[in-house]
Amino acid sequence: MKVLIITGELAYPLIKDVVSNSKEDIIVHIVDNTQVAAFLTPRLIINEVKKCFADQMDEIDMILVPGLIKKGTKEITKELGIPTFKGSTDGADLAMVLDLIEKIELSQTTPADKLINEEKRKQALKFIEDFENDTETIEKLLEKPNNILIRNLPVGEDFPMRVLAEIANAPFLSKEALINKCQYFVDSGADMIDIGMAAGEDFSDKIPELIETLRPIVGDRPLSIDTLNPNEIKTAAENGIDFVLSLDLGNNSDVKEVLKEKQIPAVLLPTNFSQGKSPKSPSERVEAMHQLIKDTEGVKYVADLILDPVNSASIVESIIACNEFHKTNPAPMFFGVGNVTELMDADSGGVNVLLAGIGMELGVSILFTPEESGKTRGSVRELATASKMMFLAKHRKSIPKDLGINLVEFKDKHKRNDIIVNERDGVPEIRQKKPMKFIRDKAGSFKIHVDYATTVKDSRITATHFKKNEPDFVIVGHSAKEIYEEIIEKELVTRMEHAAYLGSELQKAEIAMITGKEYVQDFELFKNPDELKK
């Protein structure tokens, strides 16, 4: 296939090198007097091709233009009669595009690298969906001792790790707060929802209402209760709970019979909290777990060897305990990821995906977390994604990289290779000498706010307009652009510095809405890493 690649002067050396080993017949052409390829327009490209390739038009099979040009390529295709598509946003990715050129359907509007990534993502999600819908295979897998059914959800080493999201301190929440928290977790991708009770208290009387309130929201997802209180466990069992957290050597004799009768699975802990006993070493944990399994024979279970926070009892010892237990017992295992993320001052994303990877290698079946602090907000969504990543990696027998699904959110997976600095050579630099003096805009002022919902698509940005310090209306939108265009349309800004300020603040609000960061007008969203070094 003969492919004509259109570019600018600055990107030409990179692209020429990148496509040099392609099996396709490649022509790389620089448009006259164009340094930056992204500044090209369909009309410029049409004129250039007509001028330089008039005698080769019948030989060219395809034209690839820079992925970053603003307009689509429909006009080029129509006028030249040659299929024209957007290439990659980064010239370095053109080799990948050319390798797949006969396997993918390129787009006139979407850059090819994004198209390829989206296709990989679709294929990855379809693989998981097909697996989850393969009822015949699932029935066979559930016959194995390392898998169980919780409500209608298959759980075990042969399935993706299930994410169990805890609504902490549920008895103290209002009905509205309880519903909102549950809906947020469901929207975040939780496979199961947990009702977190209060240690040392007995709220048995509230449990029927808690279950009744949450059941319509969780739907067919399993609903669990997190308590060691026998009265609360019995009440939950009588009111349709699907899963119990937890039984240990101190409370199991009081509740195991009702769990067997109701066929309710339970998490087993190698502890005896009624006597204040909690094993430390891996061998002690495994020995206590085996004793508890024997004591609760007939109860379907998930084993929790207790994942410890870093530098507490020892996260390493707890991981070793999981590994030692799994060598002798194929039963599903439980990983309290929140024990680590909540007790570490770090963003949760990287921690969650690493723990999910360790869990996958150990044979863990359930990843458990609340979201009790700002730094762990989004953990359920992160673990849901991490679980998919590890399931794909496991089946592909690969490292968790280039899977089509990832958790690279605040950094970039690749360094761009087509960012050229020499376009500024010889151009003078100008720096601000003194800040501008503040002058109030006679058209009024704005108070900007983010209304966070259970999903980003349901969240919104609000800009309340003030005239003479009195609010008169609110502009609402889902993006900075929606808001500032309405402000301009209504002629609510008369000073350029005010317009620039509003654009900056609204963009910060949009970033906060997407990332879950707290937005406060006039304050920075992110810390300056240089300041952290001092």
Side-chain angles (χ1 to χ4, degrees), residues 135-201:
T135 53
E136 186 176 337
T137 298
I138 288 172
E139 285 177 8
K140 289 179 181 177
L141 291 174
L142 285 171
E143 294 173 4
K144 296 170 65 176
N146 55 330
N147 303 312
I148 64 172
L149 199 64
I150 302 178
R151 194 173 175 89
N152 293 318
L153 182 69
V155 173
E157 192 177 2
D158 291 309
F159 300 95
M161 289 177 285
R162 306 306 188 183
V163 178
L164 176 54
E166 181 189 35
I167 303 174
N169 299 308
F172 302 108
L173 299 179
S174 67
K175 187 172 183 178
E176 181 183 14
L178 190 72
I179 290 170
N180 286 342
K181 190 78 169 179
C182 184
Q183 188 62 58
Y184 166 69
F185 284 147
V186 168
D187 290 340
S188 296
D191 300 295
M192 315 160 75
I193 301 295
D194 180 65
I195 302 171
M197 303 302 286
E201 303 282 350

Side-chain angles (χ1 to χ4, degrees), residues 424-478:
R424 301 196 305 266
D425 288 351
V427 179
E429 291 185 351
I430 299 172
R431 291 179 180 269
Q432 184 188 51
K433 293 181 179 178
K434 62 179 182 179
M436 292 183 69
K437 182 180 178 182
F438 172 74
I439 300 174
R440 187 177 296 276
D441 194 328
K442 65 182 181 182
S445 59
F446 288 89
K447 179 66 177 176
I448 300 167
H449 183 71
V450 176
D451 291 338
Y452 298 94
T454 58
T455 61
V456 174
K457 67 180 176 64
D458 291 327
S459 300
R460 63 182 194 167
I461 305 165
T462 66
T464 304
H465 183 258
F466 286 79
K467 189 71 172 177
K468 296 180 180 179
N469 295 325
E470 290 293 328
D472 49 359
F473 57 84
V474 182
I475 298 175
V476 179
H478 191 66

Side-chain angles (χ1 to χ4, degrees), residues 392-412:
L392 289 166
K394 184 177 178 180
H395 276 265
R396 295 178 185 181
K397 296 180 172 59
S398 73
I399 56 176
K401 184 176 181 294
D402 299 327
L403 299 166
I405 301 172
N406 67 68
L407 268 172
V408 181
E409 296 181 326
F410 295 103
K411 297 186 179 181
D412 293 312

Side-chain angles (χ1 to χ4, degrees), residues 171 197-198 201-211 225 227-239:
M197 303 302 286
E201 303 282 350
D202 190 337
F203 287 104
S204 300
D205 58 322
K206 290 193 173 186
I207 287 173
E209 185 181 0
L210 288 170
I211 294 173
I225 190 162
T227 178
L228 287 163
N229 184 315
N231 291 334
E232 291 182 337
I233 292 174
K234 289 176 183 177
T235 302
E238 295 295 338
N239 284 273

